[in-house]
Amino acid sequence: KELTFQKKHGLLAYENQECIGWIAIDPMTELIGHDCQASAKPNEWSIHCIFVKDGFRGKGLSNKLISAAIEYAKDRAASIISAFPIPEEHREKFPANEAEFSGRFSTYSKMGFVPQGETSDFYKRMELVI
């Protein structure tokens, strides 16, 4: 089989030359197969994955990654950023730590994201107008 690769946007966080976290952010229109792609608004970007390495969690790194992603998208003409955290009441449906890859509802709320629409069985759409 032939391997193909897609260049996507993302940011890596380093501490003392060690990668300790990353966040994926892309224009919503470029997210092939994303279940909310059809409802994308003009200049809407999406944070669709976030990861913080063990040993660095609970220290505010998610907030810093989200802030950096917002600035990154803003510099590229984004006007809305969406995120899709899994609500607390649904997190137990996922294997250990898998729900963490979407980020936490409470973290996005503190960063100014507001809920939009109905909660699905898997996520709650949140938006930040910038």
Side-chain angles (χ1 to χ4, degrees):
K1 287 185 173 184
E2 179 182 334
L3 291 177
T4 60
F5 299 91
Q6 291 182 334
K7 180 182 177 192
K8 293 294 175 189
H9 302 96
L11 303 165
L12 301 173
Y14 286 88
E15 183 176 275
N16 300 321
Q17 299 183 355
E18 176 185 6
C19 185
I20 60 171
W22 65 277
I23 190 165
I25 183 165
D26 291 285
M28 183 69 87
T29 56
E30 292 181 17
L31 295 176
I32 298 167
H34 195 284
D35 54 353
C36 290
Q37 183 181 22
S39 64
K41 298 172 179 136
N43 299 317
E44 181 178 4
W45 283 54
S46 175
I47 294 173
H48 51 96
C49 196
I50 189 167
F51 175 78
V52 176
K53 186 176 178 180
D54 283 337
F56 295 92
R57 295 179 182 149
K59 298 178 181 181
L61 185 55
S62 289
N63 293 21
K64 292 175 184 175
L65 285 164
I66 293 168
S67 292
I70 290 167
E71 289 305 311
Y72 179 83
K74 193 190 292 187
D75 289 347
R76 286 153 184 80
S79 58
I80 297 172
I81 299 178
S82 294
F84 302 89
I86 298 167
E88 293 300 321
E89 64 269 20
H90 297 297
R91 294 176 87 76
E92 74 282 350
K93 296 178 183 178
F94 294 85
N97 294 324
E98 185 177 321
E100 295 300 324
F101 296 124
S102 66
R104 292 200 171 257
F105 183 89
S106 59
T107 301
Y108 287 110
S109 291
K110 290 175 191 170
M111 305 283 305
F113 286 74
V114 293
Q116 298 292 318
E118 298 294 318
T119 300
S120 79
D121 286 341
F122 299 107
Y123 63 82
K124 177 65 179 170
R125 183 185 181 115
M126 299 184 81
E127 290 181 358
L128 176 69
V129 176
I130 52 175

